[in-house]
Amino acid sequence: IILYGMTSVYFAGVMIRLMLVVAPVACIVGATAISSTLKIHMKFLRQRDVSAKPTSTSTAEQQRPVAPSVPKEVSLMVIAVILAILIGYVYHCEWVASEAYSSPSIVLSSQMRDGSRVIIDDFREAYYWLRHNTPQDAKIMSWWDYGYQITGMANRTVLVDNNTWNNTHIAT
């Protein structure tokens, strides 16, 4: 896991598109950290109060090291904070998915600090320009991300696009 983590962080730093390679190792490390923290604090919650001294003192009991104890209130607080963070993360993921993925569009919008809305219409305008200012049989070379949009919006043939189910519309 350590080797995989180091190589995935390196390659994600070199090429940002490889950030997805980091996701599995980040999940494993995060889950291990949360699991071990919860295990430690749950152990402190289950621990009985040992304030009364034992009546018999054997040498084996005296020599055994005593694990440091954390007050139950602190353990409850740590567990509550971890649960609040995890629940908050679920709500955050749902919000991001509803905002970013539920209505994909080539017209981007954002909100300014004062609450006003800004519409970024550059992609649609560029596809409109391609449709009206290039010959009907023009072949467009672009990054593959935009190829499918150019084919659909500008009605032009592209050299490469991301639509692999039908390669007859790709220029050869």
Side-chain angles (χ1 to χ4, degrees):
I1 289 180
I2 293 171
L3 182 62
Y4 173 60
M6 289 172 46
T7 55
S8 64
V9 167
Y10 170 75
F11 286 115
V14 171
M15 183 181 283
I16 195 67
R17 288 177 179 244
L18 296 177
M19 186 61 75
L20 289 175
V21 176
V22 177
V25 75
C27 290
I28 291 169
V29 170
T32 304
I34 289 172
S35 175
S36 61
T37 303
L38 286 176
K39 182 191 270 187
I40 290 169
H41 287 284
M42 291 301 286
K43 181 180 74 171
F44 289 138
L45 283 180
R46 284 192 218 112
Q47 191 176 16
R48 292 194 186 125
D49 190 15
V50 221
S51 58
K53 294 187 178 183
T55 54
S56 67
T57 56
S58 67
T59 57
E61 288 179 6
Q62 289 175 351
Q63 292 177 351
R64 184 172 38 165
V66 177
S69 182
V70 174
K72 289 186 179 187
E73 294 81 17
V74 173
S75 291
L76 281 172
M77 185 62 100
V78 168
I79 292 169
V81 166
I82 289 174
L83 289 176
I85 289 172
L86 292 175
I87 291 170
Y89 181 70
V90 169
Y91 283 115
H92 170 73
C93 290
E94 289 177 2
W95 176 78
V96 167
S98 69
E99 288 292 317
Y101 302 129
S102 63
S103 59
S105 175
I106 60 170
V107 178
L108 306 173
S109 68
S110 64
Q111 198 168 17
M112 300 295 283
R113 289 184 182 174
D114 64 354
S116 63
R117 192 172 204 133
V118 176
I119 305 290
I120 303 168
D121 201 15
D122 296 344
F123 288 115
R124 191 185 59 80
E125 289 177 6
Y127 300 144
Y128 179 83
W129 185 92
L130 275 173
R131 176 178 280 199
H132 293 288
N133 294 310
T134 58
Q136 186 79 326
D137 63 343
K139 300 195 179 17
I140 309 294
M141 186 166 99
S142 70
W143 193 254
W144 65 268
D145 295 23
Y146 306 112
Y148 189 64
Q149 290 179 356
I150 291 171
T151 302
M153 299 293 294
N155 198 21
R156 294 295 178 262
T157 305
V158 294
L159 296 178
V160 177
D161 71 0
N162 197 24
N163 183 11
T164 57
W165 66 271
N166 177 8
N167 61 6
T168 60
H169 65 279
I170 300 175
T172 54

